[in-house]
Amino acid sequence: MRKSLLGGRLSWLVFLIPMILPLVTKNTYYVHGILCQIFVFTILVTALDIIMGYLGDISLGHAGFFAVGAYAVAILTTTQELNAEGTLKFLPQLSFSAALIIAIVICAGVGAVLSFPSLRLSGDYLAATTIAYGMIIHTVINESENLTNGTKGINVPPLKLFGLVVEENHFLWVVYPVMLAVMWMVRNLAKSFWGRAFEAIKHSSIAAECCGVSRAKYKVSGFALSAALAGLAGGLFAHQDNYIGTATFSLDLSILLVIALVLGGVRSTLGNFIGMFLVVSLPDFFTGLKDYRLVAFGIVLLLTLFFLPNGLAGLFRRLTSRLFPAKDLTEFQQDIAARAANDKSPLFTSRPSNGDLVLNIQNVRKKFGGVTAVDKLDLKVRRGSIHGLMGPNGSGKSTTVNLITGLYPPSEGSIQLFDANVAKLSTARRSAKGISRTFQNLQLFGELTVLDNVLVGLHQSFKATLLSVLLSLPDTRKEEREMQVRAYRLLKFVGLEKQAFETASSLSYGQARRLEIARALGVNPTLLLLDEPAAGFSATEILELNEVIKKIKAEGIAILLIEHHMDMLLEVSDELTCLDFGRTIASGSPKEVQNSPKVMEAYLGTQTEGVTA
Amino acid sequence: MADFVQLLVSGVSQGMIYALLAVAYNITFSTSRTINFAIGNLLMMGGVVGFSLYIDMKTGQPLGRSFIIPFMGVLVVGSILGAFINKFAVEPSRRMKSEYGSALATLAVGIVLRNLVERRWSTDDYKFLSPVGDSPIRIFGAGVYPQEVLIIAASIFIVVALETFKSKTVLGRSIQAISEDRVTASLMGINPGFIVGFSFILSAMIAGVAGLLVAPITLVSATMGTVIGIKAYAVSIIGGLESGYGTIVGGIILGLCEVFTARFISSGYKDTTGFVFLILIILLRPNGIFGRKVVRKV
């Protein structure tokens, strides 16, 4: 299959071919001028892909980060002699490697700060904000003459590495390996729990938070990382011509980056390269195009957006999947299944805790403006028991779940998990403490596979550091494999292992509901909140679901089950609470609640009302 | 005092241009829920088309035509471009359902326009002689350009006329209905496709007129719209969708902040005021001043 296609284990040698170029040709225009520029800009596009492809945000200000990196390296390494007519005052004259590291750190910091708009904004608002900060950076560089030489630009000394001067075509020996390394690291990141966290946030940040993925942490880190890589590209760019000027770092560059990314296709390192390759080289091959390149690229962007939404990489993937249809199960999939079958370790580990009382809600109230959605709610859920929560539409059931998971802050009252008050913790922190949930309106990560959805649920179990993820160290790969096996076993637990490698959006409705449960179980919960898990189910499907719920209970997990299906609640619940207009109208054993006159009144109305109505 | 009056007038007239562009942003936002990132370049087109029809490019002197001709020319070109943007950038991205489709598509149209003007027209800056004269009038000892007075008067007239149009005519009310609730409005027999298209034409014409108005106090060039377009977006959010008058207030605030920055801090940082404004306003009012906060249901 694929291996034979690329020539087996030695296929990576293909990547070495460009390294020969400086030895065989003296043509600096194409090798140094065009190719090296493509390599540097590809790093920039790969950086942008983290934000646009994986996090699903937008940045029209990446030229700004690129500029910060380039200027940092230029300022830190240049000398007075090279800029005799300039106004430069701050000239530390560091070595290139030291300057580059500082540039990357500065850019990461700037990226982290400028990520804050993305925490609150999306869509056009974010686009406009990023344009604005790109322009601010541009203005600041233009105006800080003592630091940046203003519009005159900076002459940079020739690149020196290990005492050797790197000039002209030899520059390729620096930029090409760096580009490959960046692409490799971003790929590693994308395939790891980091990449899944990014995609989870993109699809549903609420569901991601409930899986313990902190939206703020990953957005800020994603922007910082992207800015750091853009800074790295900028640092290299300072030595492309050994001169930098502000004109390069305009809004147009940011837009060209987006065009290269969209054209090549997001979430594809090869696509990043192809996109940038076309954007840099096309105007060169068609000289008539040079003057009209923005016209041409504008039209290319429009056409790509509307006719090739996944870019050239998407087209390529579609073609290859048609030419080489996937076999039933790949080696990887068989391996996971085999390991899962052999793994007898406990699927759920018990968390340190005291007592049997898992959830204790006291006197909780939630107001939305003038409406009291939940009023004076008391609720206790014990280990290994199922507490049913029923009530007509709008009685406050989902609000209760949202209060427990921290999506809404309570107006008053306390929410205790064991003895600890969790009412002030973020959703992701509560998930880390073992509160997990499913959603009434399905919130699956549609583009991820079924297995990956469960892996997002397992997010908290990953221990690898960012560095080891980027470098894909053996420990990290081992951890990933272990988690895949655990996710597969969880899918087996809910009876969904056959669909493990399909995309989540292709599941049937009933399968999607089960996947929600499997993902929630990935959190290794002490308390599982099931928000109408049987909505829209047939009677047989309910019976199957009952079995799954009983199995979860047998694992010692406390369950709060919200349902409308009375027969189901009576069948599985140990205790039952009925809400109406935010108030508890009945609580106790299922039989008691079922026969409570108040409950009948809430559902059916009183007899007198029935007659008059 | 004289200094102050001068700053005041130039700040307010600059602000009025922002207000006009902000109105142009708002009309299409209210009907299509997208931001037209080509607005700045539509302003540029207004300036360039008006210049070509009014001034002799070689001598820099007026061609001796009535100002009605460039004005009509700008309206015609504006309406064509508005219809074009709606048809080939906004409508296709609505079908795409991608969050950033329309932003990128309108941005693409914007750079195409700019590049075409650079190539077919010129990459230089040109002085646009004002139809109302270029010698300053003395007010309180301050030199005020007649064009600045024209800008203020014309902008207020346009905003008031537009507000009246929106509240008093059937077509204007249809725009408001679509902006309130697209589905219900279309059930009431309003054709949303037509209204959105109309709003883009109207918006592009206003942006073009803004370009024609601003040209004599700046310079005409292919890049004259880029920065102004982004800053006006900040004003569009400050001003608010419901009221065109709000944009006048927002425009004046930004215009004044800019002239005072240029005067007392540094003229190089003049534009930065607008960008900082934009970021702060968007951050502090994430739903915009016009947006009601919606509780997301899960």
Side-chain angles (χ1 to χ4, degrees):
Chain A
M1 301 186 322
R2 190 172 249 188
K3 265 188 183 163
S4 57
L5 201 73
L6 288 175
R9 277 167 183 279
L10 295 177
S11 61
W12 60 270
L13 285 173
V14 176
F15 291 117
L16 287 180
I17 294 172
M19 294 295 275
I20 316 167
L21 280 172
L23 298 177
V24 296
T25 174
K26 291 267 178 282
N27 182 329
T28 52
Y29 180 75
Y30 282 108
V31 176
H32 177 249
I34 303 280
L35 211 50
C36 289
Q37 197 184 355
I38 291 172
F39 293 150
V40 171
F41 281 137
T42 299
I43 300 177
L44 201 47
V45 177
T46 310
L48 185 62
D49 201 8
I50 296 178
I51 288 175
M52 288 186 64
Y54 295 99
L55 274 172
D57 282 322
I58 193 167
S59 171
L60 289 165
H62 251 53
F65 299 127
F66 187 55
V68 171
Y71 269 90
V73 165
I75 293 166
L76 293 173
T77 58
T78 197
T79 61
Q80 186 70 52
E81 297 79 67
L82 283 168
N83 298 281
E85 290 172 23
T87 44
L88 291 175
K89 293 276 181 304
F90 176 68
L91 293 159
Q93 303 192 23
L94 299 180
S95 71
F96 171 72
S97 28
L100 189 63
I101 290 168
I102 296 173
I104 291 171
V105 172
I106 293 175
C107 279
V110 175
V113 170
L114 293 182
S115 70
F116 284 100
S118 79
L119 297 178
R120 301 190 61 166
L121 308 169
S122 64
D124 295 345
Y125 291 113
L126 184 63
T129 318
T130 57
I131 292 180
Y133 69 59
M135 291 215 159
I136 292 176
I137 293 176
H138 190 252
T139 313
V140 170
I141 291 177
N142 249 336
E143 295 301 315
S144 316
E145 295 195 337
N146 289 340
L147 191 65
T148 65
N149 234 357
T151 46
K152 286 192 286 291
I154 301 179
N155 288 312
V156 187
L159 177 58
K160 233 185 197 171
L161 277 176
F162 312 111
L164 295 170
V165 175
V166 182
E167 272 178 327
E168 303 201 318
N169 284 357
H170 296 164
F171 189 48
L172 185 137
W173 285 339
V174 178
V175 286
Y176 180 66
V178 173
M179 180 194 77
L180 286 185
V182 167
M183 290 171 117
W184 177 68
M185 287 196 283
V186 171
R187 263 182 102 102
N188 288 340
L189 187 80
K191 284 191 287 188
S192 75
F193 66 99
W194 275 76
R196 284 190 296 268
F198 288 160
E199 298 223 27
I201 291 167
K202 177 172 68 180
H203 287 292
S204 164
S205 60
I206 290 174
E209 287 269 340
C210 289
C211 292
V213 178
S214 160
R215 179 172 171 274
K217 177 186 162 187
Y218 282 92
K219 281 217 167 188
V220 174
S221 315
F223 269 81
L225 190 66
S226 172
L229 292 177
L232 167 69
L236 295 171
F237 183 74
H239 286 290
Q240 170 78 36
D241 299 320
N242 288 331
Y243 166 81
I244 51 166
T246 47
T248 315
F249 310 99
S250 61
L251 175 61
D252 284 352
L253 176 60
S254 296
I255 296 175
L256 278 179
L257 290 177
V258 172
I259 292 173
L261 178 61
V262 173
L263 174 62
V266 291
R267 296 198 302 277
S268 157
T269 38
L270 185 65
N272 297 159
F273 175 76
I274 293 173
M276 201 68 225
F277 181 83
L278 293 175
V279 165
V280 174
S281 63
L282 280 188
D284 201 76
F285 289 136
F286 304 97
T287 30
L289 211 66
K290 223 167 199 166
D291 286 343
Y292 286 93
R293 60 185 206 137
L294 286 180
V295 174
F297 288 135
I299 295 169
V300 164
L301 176 58
L302 282 178
L303 294 176
T304 322
L305 278 176
F306 302 138
F307 297 108
L308 219 57
N310 293 316
L312 294 172
L315 182 71
F316 182 73
R317 271 197 294 265
R318 228 174 37 218
L319 288 179
T320 47
S321 71
R322 200 168 294 169
L323 290 175
F324 311 100
K327 291 191 174 176
D328 291 347
L329 279 176
T330 64
E331 254 170 69
F332 159 74
Q333 295 167 353
Q334 283 165 347
D335 178 56
I336 298 278
R339 282 170 192 245
N342 292 330
D343 193 340
K344 297 283 181 269
S345 64
L347 200 45
F348 302 97
T349 51
S350 63
R351 292 163 184 264
S353 59
N354 31 3
D356 256 358
L357 189 56
V358 179
L359 179 72
N360 188 6
I361 295 182
Q362 282 173 328
N363 205 20
V364 159
R365 186 196 297 249
K366 178 64 195 173
K367 283 183 172 177
F368 294 107
V371 184
T372 307
V374 170
D375 198 11
K376 290 184 192 152
L377 178 69
D378 289 308
L379 197 67
K380 290 181 173 56
V381 187
R382 288 174 196 288
R383 186 193 297 272
S385 81
I386 298 173
H387 195 122
L389 189 60
M390 58 184 279
N393 288 327
S395 59
K397 304 182 301 293
S398 285
T399 306
T400 305
V401 174
N402 289 340
L403 284 168
I404 298 170
T405 47
L407 294 175
Y408 303 151
S411 304
E412 56 185 85
S414 82
I415 300 170
Q416 287 187 314
L417 189 70
F418 296 108
D419 289 333
N421 191 356
V422 294
K424 293 257 187 316
L425 296 182
S426 73
T427 302
R429 292 288 305 136
R430 289 187 208 195
S431 163
K433 289 201 174 296
I435 298 180
S436 186
R437 70 170 290 181
T438 66
F439 293 87
Q440 183 185 343
N441 319 320
L442 295 167
Q443 303 256 351
L444 291 173
F445 310 122
E447 276 181 38
L448 298 183
T449 65
V450 170
L451 191 77
D452 280 345
N453 267 271
V454 183
L455 281 166
V456 176
L458 284 162
H459 181 84
Q460 301 271 354
S461 308
F462 285 86
K463 298 284 176 272
T465 61
L466 176 58
L467 190 67
S468 64
V469 167
L470 287 173
L471 300 177
S472 189
L473 297 180
D475 275 1
T476 312
R477 289 205 300 269
K478 185 165 161 261
E479 181 182 65
E480 174 80 12
R481 187 48 62 99
E482 283 168 8
M483 291 300 167
Q484 283 166 340
V485 171
R486 207 164 126 199
Y488 191 87
R489 289 176 68 206
L490 283 169
L491 285 172
K492 224 170 178 174
F493 188 87
V494 299
L496 211 56
E497 75 276 13
K498 287 199 178 62
Q499 285 76 28
F501 303 101
E502 293 171 16
T503 48
S505 55
S506 68
L507 291 185
S508 74
Y509 180 74
Q511 289 169 338
R513 288 230 168 263
R514 280 177 198 220
L515 176 54
E516 282 248 336
I517 296 176
R519 184 179 69 186
L521 289 174
V523 170
N524 191 23
T526 45
L527 173 67
L528 179 64
L529 310 166
L530 298 171
D531 195 354
E532 300 198 24
F537 270 23
S538 68
T540 20
E541 283 175 315
I542 291 180
L543 288 180
E544 285 169 13
L545 182 64
N546 283 350
E547 293 315 305
V548 173
I549 293 176
K550 284 177 187 166
K551 261 164 75 183
I552 300 170
K553 173 185 168 179
E555 296 285 343
I557 294 167
I559 297 171
L560 183 66
L561 173 65
I562 293 178
E563 257 308 328
H564 280 300
H565 291 96
M566 203 56 205
D567 42 350
M568 179 178 176
L569 282 171
L570 292 174
E571 158 89 20
V572 299
S573 303
D574 299 302
E575 275 177 281
L576 201 50
T577 296
C578 182
L579 298 180
D580 194 22
F581 293 110
R583 286 171 177 273
T584 307
I585 55 171
S587 188
S589 73
K591 275 275 165 286
E592 284 165 20
V593 173
Q594 188 190 17
N595 296 324
S596 154
K598 277 188 175 171
V599 173
M600 288 186 198
E601 191 185 319
Y603 274 85
L604 304 169
T606 56
Q607 212 153 29
T608 44
E609 265 176 3
V611 171
T612 48
Chain B
M1 182 64 193
D3 193 24
F4 182 75
V5 172
Q6 206 156 340
L7 285 179
L8 200 67
V9 174
S10 70
V12 169
S13 61
Q14 187 63 45
M16 285 301 151
I17 298 298
Y18 295 141
L20 278 186
L21 277 195
V23 168
Y25 273 119
N26 285 353
I27 301 169
T28 52
F29 179 79
S30 70
T31 56
S32 72
R33 298 286 140 188
T34 60
I35 307 290
N36 178 3
F37 281 95
I39 286 269
N41 285 310
L42 290 173
L43 171 138
M44 179 273 294
M45 289 302 287
V48 168
V49 168
F51 178 86
S52 309
L53 292 173
Y54 189 65
I55 306 263
D56 182 358
M57 205 164 147
K58 292 202 181 69
T59 60
Q61 290 305 311
L63 290 164
R65 290 179 187 152
S66 155
F67 198 66
I68 294 292
I69 292 171
F71 181 70
M72 296 307 289
V74 166
L75 291 187
V76 171
V77 172
S79 56
I80 295 171
L81 290 176
F84 178 87
I85 290 176
N86 178 49
K87 191 79 200 155
F88 294 103
V90 179
E91 264 186 17
S93 26
R94 176 180 287 279
R95 286 195 292 271
M96 293 290 309
K97 295 202 187 299
S98 146
E99 203 177 348
Y100 296 104
S102 74
L104 295 180
T106 52
L107 209 55
V109 175
I111 60 169
V112 167
L113 285 178
R114 204 192 70 209
N115 196 197
L116 278 179
V117 170
E118 279 172 348
R119 289 301 133 213
R120 296 271 108 201
W121 185 69
S122 171
T123 47
D124 292 334
D125 297 334
Y126 291 91
K127 177 97 185 86
F128 192 132
L129 294 177
S130 165
V132 289
D134 284 297
S135 42
I137 323 164
R138 293 274 148 202
I139 302 174
F140 298 113
V144 172
Y145 289 102
Q147 182 71 26
E148 295 180 325
V149 180
L150 176 68
I151 289 176
I152 297 172
S155 305
I156 291 176
F157 172 78
I158 292 172
V159 172
V160 171
L162 190 72
E163 285 303 297
T164 320
F165 166 75
K166 269 163 71 180
S167 57
K168 295 284 189 291
T169 65
V170 176
L171 197 54
R173 286 195 199 130
S174 306
I175 290 183
Q176 289 191 303
I178 291 284
S179 107
E180 286 270 314
D181 188 334
R182 191 184 171 98
V183 174
T184 311
S186 63
L187 289 174
M188 298 297 123
I190 300 172
N191 177 355
F194 171 73
I195 294 294
V196 173
F198 176 74
S199 71
F200 269 89
I201 291 173
L202 194 61
S203 159
M205 290 202 292
I206 293 174
V209 171
L212 190 61
L213 283 171
V214 78
I217 59 167
T218 57
L219 292 169
V220 181
S221 72
T223 51
M224 69 185 278
T226 312
V227 169
I228 213 173
I230 297 158
K231 291 189 293 191
Y233 180 54
V235 171
S236 131
I237 300 175
I238 306 169
L241 182 72
E242 310 300 335
S243 147
Y245 303 117
T247 58
I248 293 189
V249 178
I252 291 176
I253 296 175
L254 180 58
L256 288 179
C257 284
E258 283 196 351
V259 290
F260 282 100
T261 310
R263 173 76 179 71
F264 296 108
I265 299 174
S266 149
S267 60
Y269 281 105
K270 178 175 156 254
D271 293 337
T272 314
T273 327
F275 301 140
V276 173
F277 242 76
L278 175 63
I279 294 178
L280 288 182
I281 281 292
I282 293 183
L283 275 181
L284 299 179
R285 297 293 315 226
N287 302 299
I289 302 234
F290 37 79
R292 285 175 293 269
K293 200 170 175 176
V294 189
V295 178
R296 188 121 68 106
K297 220 180 161 192
V298 275

